[in-house]
Amino acid sequence: MKYLYYPGCSLESTARQYDVSTRLLMSALGAELTEIPEWNCCGASAANAVDRELSLALPALNLAVAEAAMPGADILVPCSACYLNLKKVHAMGRDDPGGLAEANEIISTRSLHYSGNARPRHLLDILSRDFGPAAIEQKVSKGLSGMVVAPYYGCQCLRPYRVFDDPETPHSMDALLKAAGAFVYKWSMSARCCGASHMTTHTDTGQELVYKILKAARGADIIAAVCPMCLMNLEAYQKEISARFGEDVRKPVAYLPELLCRAMDVQNA
């Protein structure tokens, strides 16, 4: 299978391991990734708060370039925030033609146009629906036997667009982890918000949200994430949160492709 690939900014910096493990995993599954030529930032969580036109133009530029580069191909997007921003503009073709026309008017200055055909899809969507647990199981050599994994989906790959999983009780990651040999930890916090960028603007609230998630995962060996912001929030503040709430809630956190690559014994050359 062939996909266009949109890594996004985080995967070239703080979430570099997410990019590396995603590329390794997809290669091991027989998929071919073509990085979108000269892709730009999608606007992340900041553009919409600063300028509406900018929040439309940035993802529209990427989608238009992708559509021209490989017509008809889906776009694999690992970062949940990037996926949400690209999906917003893609969905306008169906739900808000006026909004899509506005986005196209803005990017017309670059002689670009997005018709709505290039479809952004989250990594978890592609893994669970295009490949499925059977494809993972066939590649497993080492496995994750004995490892209790808490699947953490976060918000943005599930909401507001109900595409590949139930936003309240998601399960797509569970089957993939089971296929890799892990024991899936059953908990009620898998789709709860981690606070996202509010961890820096409303720190007390963000820490309280993360504390509840980490505390609920106390019976797991590790948390599996599919979003750079989620992983950073769950991992980077553990010492501070443990001290604040007087309880040791420290827990390893890893990206889903890292765990699947480990199960397959796929390593970076």
Side-chain angles (χ1 to χ4, degrees):
M1 294 184 180
K2 296 182 179 181
Y3 301 92
L4 285 160
Y5 183 57
Y6 181 80
C9 303
S10 293
L11 274 75
E12 289 202 338
S13 54
T14 56
R16 179 63 180 160
Q17 69 271 34
Y18 196 12
D19 176 66
V20 171
S21 59
T22 294
R23 293 176 187 270
L24 287 171
L25 175 62
M26 297 310 295
S27 177
L29 291 172
E32 181 180 328
L33 302 183
T34 300
E35 191 168 317
I36 297 175
E38 298 182 356
W39 59 266
N40 57 260
C41 175
C42 71
S45 57
N48 192 53
V50 175
D51 186 291
R52 180 179 182 276
E53 290 188 353
L54 183 64
S55 72
L56 292 176
L58 290 173
L61 280 169
N62 289 304
L63 291 169
V65 170
E67 198 170 70
M70 193 183 293
D74 288 343
I75 306 168
L76 188 155
V77 189
C79 172
S80 296
C82 294
Y83 164 73
L84 181 59
N85 284 343
L86 296 173
K87 181 65 179 175
K88 175 181 68 177
V89 174
H90 171 259
M92 283 179 171
R94 180 193 64 214
D95 304 328
D96 183 12
L100 182 59
E102 181 183 1
N104 275 319
E105 182 178 359
I106 298 169
I107 67 173
S108 66
T109 59
R110 296 272 299 273
S111 299
L112 290 169
H113 180 86
Y114 175 55
S115 65
N117 291 328
R119 180 174 57 157
R121 298 178 62 193
H122 194 275
L123 169 65
L124 187 52
D125 176 13
I126 287 173
L127 287 177
S128 61
R129 296 203 296 177
D130 290 8
F131 294 92
I136 301 295
E137 189 172 11
Q138 288 175 2
K139 298 289 184 178
V140 169
S141 57
K142 292 180 64 175
L144 302 176
S145 179
M147 182 180 292
V148 181
V149 183
Y152 183 71
Y153 298 81
C155 304
Q156 294 177 315
C157 71
L158 303 172
R159 306 180 184 95
Y161 302 105
R162 185 169 181 160
V163 176
F164 63 92
D165 211 338
D166 187 324
E168 302 305 323
T169 55
H171 61 274
S172 53
M173 202 188 317
D174 301 37
L176 299 173
L177 289 168
K178 287 179 182 177
F183 180 84
V184 176
Y185 184 67
K186 298 300 181 182
W187 62 330
S188 61
M189 303 294 282
S190 63
R192 294 292 183 91
C193 180
C194 69
S197 59
H198 289 309
M199 182 63 81
T200 57
T201 57
H202 297 81
T203 304
D204 287 348
T205 301
Q207 287 189 356
E208 185 174 349
L209 290 170
V210 171
Y211 165 69
K212 290 178 179 179
I213 293 168
L214 293 174
K215 183 176 181 179
R218 59 186 176 274
D221 296 320
I222 193 170
I223 298 172
V226 288
C227 172
M229 178 68 76
C230 292
L231 186 135
M232 182 177 69
N233 281 351
L234 294 180
E235 183 179 60
Y237 304 95
Q238 290 188 11
K239 184 177 180 180
E240 185 177 346
I241 289 172
S242 295
R244 176 184 168 187
F245 291 95
E247 182 178 357
D248 187 355
V249 291
R250 290 175 294 177
K251 183 74 58 180
V253 189
Y255 290 110
L256 174 65
E258 289 185 286
L259 293 175
L260 297 182
C261 282
R262 174 176 173 175
M264 298 177 183
D265 198 21
V266 174
Q267 301 177 26
N268 196 13

